[in-house]
Amino acid sequence: MAKRGRLKTTTTIILLLLCLLAFSTVFAPLPSPLPTLKPYYKHHHHHHHKHQVVNAPTFEIANDMFWKDGQPFQIIGGDLHYFRTLPEYWEDRLSRAKALGLNAIQTYVPWNLHEPKEGQLDFDGIADIVSFLELCQKLDLLVMLRPGPYICAEWDFGGFPAWLLTKEPAITLRSSDSRYLALVDSWWGVLLPKIAHLLYHKGGPIIMVQIENEFGSYGDDKDYLHHLVNLARSHLGDDIILYTTDGGTRDTLTKGTIRGDAVFSAVDFSTGEDPWPIFKMQKAFNAPGKSPPLSAEFYTGWLTHWGESIAKTDATSTASALENILSRNGSAVLYMAHGGTNFGFYNGANAAQESDYNADLTSYDYDAPISESGDVDGAKFKALRGVIAKYSATSLPPVPLNNKKTGFGRIQLEKTSSLFNALDIELSTKAIESENPISMEAAGQMFGFLLYASEYITKGKGSTLSIPKVHDRAQVYVTCLSEDKKEKPQYVGTISRWSNKRVNLPNAVCSSATRLLILVENMGRINYGPYLADSKGILSAVYLDGKPLLKWKMLPIPLSNLNEDPKNNLSFNNSVSNLIGISARKTLKSSPGISLKEPAFYRGNFVVDKVTDTYMSFNGWGKGVAFVNDFNIGRFWPSFGPQCNLYVPAPVLQRGNNVLVILELESPKPDLVVNSVDQSDFTCDSNHLKI
C-alpha cells in the first residue's frame, strides 16, 4: 500500500512537473515585438496613456495640438520635391533644410513621372521615392506625403500622366467618374503599398498623408474624396493621419474638406494675411479638439512664367509672417523650402482663360530660402532661420557652405543638322496619316514637338492660314514639292495659343503643289484650374483662305524627357541622323521680308577638370531645348525672358569631355557660342510683350 501510494505520489509529482513544463512552454513570454509592430492606440491620447505605449512611435492630434511620441509637437516643415533635384543631391538639399531649422519635409508624388506610359511603372533614379523617404528618416526629418492623384505643383498636367487624355470617351478628371477612379485605384494600388512600411507608427518618417490637393478650389464632389479616403485606408490602415489642404476661405473649405474626425483639414493662405482668423475658421471644419493650426503651404516666394519679371518677395516680412504663426504655437510648412528645377519637359502652365496661357520657367527657384542651386547665404534663409531658431525644440545644426559653381567658359557650337533635312524619308515611313490634324497625345508624342505636314496648290496669289486652336506654339514653314528647287523651307510666321493671329503665306509659284510644314511645341500642360484637360498640338481644323485643309501627316519628334533613356533618341543618334541626315531639300526661293528661323541642332564640347555645378548662358540665342551629356536640362527662351541661364548640377557633368546639344527653334546666336558661367541670371526680357 505504502509502496503503491509512494509510486502514485511520485507519478503525480512527475505528471504535475510535466504539466507545469508544458504550461510554461505554452505561456512563455513572447519575444518583444519589433518597433514596427507595436500597437498604436488610435483612440487614446498618448499624454494620458504613456505607460501603454512605451517606445512606440506615435503621431496624432488631440487638444488642438500635434502629439509625437506622447509629447506636444510643432510642425516647422518645408516643401522639397525629390523630382526637382537630382538624387545625388537629395541628401545635400535635405541637410540644408535641416540647417534652416525644419523638422519635417512635405513632398508631392507626380503620377506622370512614375507611370509615363500606361502600365509602365518607374521607381528608379529621380523617381526612387523610397530612397528619398529613407534619406529623410536618416536625417531625422518627418515627412508629410502628398500623393495626389492630382498635385498642381506647377508641374505638367498637375502630375497627371498625359495618356489619361487619350481615353475615349474622355474621362472626367478629379471626379467620381468610375473610369477615372479605376485608374487611380490602380496607381495608388502600386504606390501606397510601396511606402506603407515607412509610416511613422511602423517606424518610418511619414506622419501624414494628403488626400487630393486643394480640391475646394476646383470641385465639390464628396463621393470622390470619400473614395480616396477609403482607398488610402485600405492600403495604409487606420493609424496614419490623413489630411486635406484648402485655401483659407469658407467656400473652399466647405467644398474641399471631409467633416468629422476621419480626415484633418489644413489651410493655406497668402503670406502676410492675418493667420489667426483663418485658423479659427479652420476649427469649424475639424472635429472638436482636432484642429491644430497648420498653414500647410506657407509661401516663401512665388512662381514665375515666361515673359514676366522674376518673382521676388521680401525676406523680413516673410520671416515676420512666419513668426506670427510660430509664436502662438501654430505650425507651418514652407512652400517652397527649396524649389529646384523643372528639368526636361515637365514644367506646368496657368491659364485664367483658354487663350490666356502662361508657361512656367525651367527654373523653379521660387525665391525660396534655399536657392535652385542649394545656396543658403541669402537674406531670406538667414531671416527665416533666425525666427525658426527661437521656436525649435532643439538647437539648429550649423549652416553648410554653398556648393562651388564654376564657369567653364566659352563653348563653341557647330550646326549638325536642320530639323527638316531628312523630312521626306521620315514623312513617308514614320508619319501618321489622317484627314484632319490629330493631337500630340493621339499621335503618341506626349512631350516636346510634333510636326504636321500637308499640301496645297498655289494660285499665283498669297494665301491666309489660320488655326483656331493650337496648343501651344506653331512655327509655320512652306516649301515647294517640285524637283527643280533646292533650297530650305521658308519660315512664314508663328501662330501661338495666346495671340492666335493669322499667317500670310507667300505669293510663291511652284511648278506643283506647295508643302505646308507646321512645327508645334508643347510648352507645358496647365496644372491648375478649369482648363486642366490640356491636350497639345493642333486641336481644330487648319483653314487656308477660310476653307479647311485636309490630308495631314503627323511626325512625332522624340526628344528625351526627364528620367527617360536617351538611347534611340534623335538628338543624340549620330548627330541626329535618324531624322536629320545630310540631304538636299527642295524649297521655295527666298522671298523678301521672310526671315530664316530654321529649327536646327547644334553641338559643342567642353572640358571639365574639376566637376562642380555650372550654368549655361543662352544670352543671344532664341528659343529651344538644351541637353548636357544626354540629360535634358530644360527649355531656354532668353528672347522672352526672364531666365537667361539654365542650371546644370554637377552630377550631370563628368571629368574630361562633356557634350552640349541644343535644338534652337528660331535664330541661333551669330557666333554659335554658349557660355558656361558660375551664377544664375533672371534679367533677360523682351519688354514682356508676348511674341
Side-chain angles (χ1 to χ4, degrees), residues 90 115 145 166 315 318-319 322 332 340 367 409 486 498-499 537 628 663:
W90 284 344
E115 194 175 4
L145 193 68
T166 65
T318 304
L322 180 63
D367 199 27
K486 300 286 182 189
W498 48 87
S499 65
V628 173
L663 170 59

Side-chain angles (χ1 to χ4, degrees), residues 568-639:
N568 303 324
N569 175 316
L570 70 86
S571 68
F572 311 112
N573 194 346
N574 298 323
S575 295
V576 225
S577 59
N578 265 13
L579 187 59
I580 27 194
I582 312 304
S583 67
R585 285 294 309 129
K586 306 173 285 292
T587 63
L588 281 172
K589 273 187 175 175
S590 286
S591 304
I594 297 181
S595 65
L596 188 56
K597 289 209 176 179
E598 176 195 31
F601 285 91
Y602 299 82
R603 176 190 173 105
N605 298 305
F606 60 104
V607 174
V608 169
D609 290 332
K610 190 173 179 198
V611 174
T612 72
D613 289 358
T614 189
Y615 294 85
M616 293 295 163
S617 170
F618 287 94
N619 264 307
W621 289 79
K623 184 181 199 307
V625 188
F627 303 82
V628 173
N629 296 334
D630 297 0
F631 180 80
N632 187 333
I633 61 170
R635 309 170 197 264
F636 60 88
W637 199 5
S639 60

Side-chain angles (χ1 to χ4, degrees), residues 245-325:
T245 300
D246 285 288
T249 70
R250 194 161 295 281
D251 180 59
T252 51
L253 285 163
T254 300
K255 291 175 180 172
T257 59
I258 295 167
R259 294 300 183 99
D261 64 356
V263 180
F264 167 59
S265 305
V267 288
D268 57 35
F269 42 85
S270 301
T271 303
E273 212 174 332
D274 185 354
W276 292 99
I278 298 170
F279 290 144
K280 185 179 178 185
M281 180 167 50
Q282 177 196 6
K283 278 191 167 191
F285 293 87
N286 281 305
K290 298 284 191 174
S291 197
L294 171 66
S295 172
E297 289 189 9
F298 174 90
Y299 301 108
T300 60
W302 202 247
L303 62 115
T304 306
H305 303 117
W306 290 108
E308 297 175 350
S309 297
I310 191 71
K312 289 277 178 194
T313 59
D314 179 68
T316 305
S317 58
T318 304
S320 171
L322 180 63
E323 180 145 33
N324 191 9
I325 294 172

Side-chain angles (χ1 to χ4, degrees), residues 11-29:
T11 306
T12 305
I13 291 167
I14 290 169
L15 281 169
L16 274 167
L17 285 168
L18 282 170
C19 286
L20 278 168
L21 183 65
F23 185 86
S24 67
T25 304
V26 171
F27 292 98

Side-chain angles (χ1 to χ4, degrees), residues 448-467:
F449 304 87
L450 186 64
L451 188 65
Y452 293 79
S454 189
E455 296 166 15
Y456 65 97
I457 304 294
T458 52
K459 297 172 182 171
K461 63 180 179 62
S463 296
T464 303
L465 183 80
S466 65
I467 312 174

